[in-house]
Amino acid sequence: MTKEERMEKARGLHKQGCNCCQAVVMAWADRLPIDKEHAMNMAAPFGRGLAGTREVCGCVSGMAMVCGLTGHTADVRPLIEQFREVNGDIVCARLLASGKKPCPDMVASTAGMLADLL
């Protein structure tokens, strides 16, 4: 799957009702060493800034999960910094308040960042 296809998959999953974390993780589900049902369930509590608390963005959590499950744990911190640089923050509440980028665009962008790594 191309980078653009992964990005569109993440955007589409979010628009279909997946939270941000689920959309990022499920865009990469075919590359994970767990089945899709477990991947979806694992990512569920991390949406809306960790169980709706509006703390760490679900995109960031999803990105970390994909990295961990694919053996790229050393790449998590640089990706978080890239996400912060591109989006201005990693905290859900502040990202939403800024209004710079809607969630579907953020999940697509995050899936793209992963594509550059994986």
Side-chain angles (χ1 to χ4, degrees):
M1 194 177 296
T2 68
K3 176 179 179 175
E4 290 74 23
E5 289 170 330
R6 298 251 184 224
M7 292 173 70
E8 283 311 307
K9 182 170 185 166
R11 184 188 318 275
L13 287 163
H14 189 272
K15 288 182 178 181
Q16 291 172 12
C18 286
N19 67 44
C20 292
C21 185
Q22 288 172 317
V24 171
V25 169
M26 297 309 292
W28 287 92
D30 63 307
R31 299 276 303 272
L32 303 180
I34 61 174
D35 64 65
K36 290 179 181 180
E37 181 180 355
H38 283 100
M40 183 73 106
N41 290 338
M42 174 187 68
F46 292 86
R48 295 170 300 286
L50 187 56
T53 61
R54 301 285 195 248
E55 294 295 333
V56 175
C57 172
C59 294
V60 174
S61 296
M63 186 168 53
M65 287 179 195
V66 171
C67 285
L69 288 166
T70 58
H72 290 269
T73 55
D75 296 307
V76 174
R77 182 69 180 259
L79 282 172
I80 290 171
E81 294 308 322
Q82 181 183 358
F83 183 94
R84 186 189 320 267
E85 184 178 317
V86 168
N87 297 294
D89 212 318
I90 65 166
V91 175
C92 177
R94 292 192 295 249
L95 289 165
L96 292 173
S98 77
K100 287 182 182 177
K101 189 184 286 185
C103 292
D105 292 345
M106 240 179 299
V107 298
S109 172
T110 305
M113 289 177 196
L114 285 166
D116 292 336
L117 172 68
L118 305 173

